[in-house]
Amino acid sequence: MTAHPPTEFPHIVVHAPALDGSRRVTEGAVTLGIASHLDDVVEILRMADLDRIEVEESDLIEWQGGGPDDWPGLTEHPESP
């Protein structure tokens, strides 16, 4: 009986929104794309052949600075003092 190496799962990060509301999507140190909406995240993952991931419910995606429903625009960020 041969042992199989553990299956590696991608670690996807959707970073906190920038001032324009866009969010960088990365896998490890690689930037996969810039998303302005949840549909963009789905498309970015599809282009990276990661479309089997359930975007809104997967434990493989780390949402920083808000979840899949958080896409603030410039006017929603607090003003600097």
Side-chain angles (χ1 to χ4, degrees):
M1 182 181 208
T2 57
H4 295 283
T7 304
E8 281 208 28
F9 294 102
H11 180 75
I12 307 297
V13 177
V14 179
H15 295 267
L19 288 178
D20 66 357
S22 66
R23 300 174 78 166
R24 192 165 47 102
V25 180
T26 61
E27 178 184 8
V30 177
T31 297
L32 299 176
I34 304 295
S36 297
H37 190 272
L38 183 61
D39 292 340
D40 293 340
V41 176
V42 172
E43 180 63 12
I44 288 167
L45 295 180
R46 186 188 70 76
M47 297 294 289
D49 198 29
L50 297 169
D51 55 338
R52 296 171 307 283
I53 297 173
E54 184 63 39
V55 174
E56 294 183 71
E57 299 174 10
S58 177
D59 291 338
L60 300 177
I61 298 178
E62 177 184 343
W63 293 88
Q64 297 179 345
D69 295 326
D70 295 314
W71 298 91
L74 181 61
T75 58
E76 295 182 39
H77 284 276
E79 291 186 28
S80 305

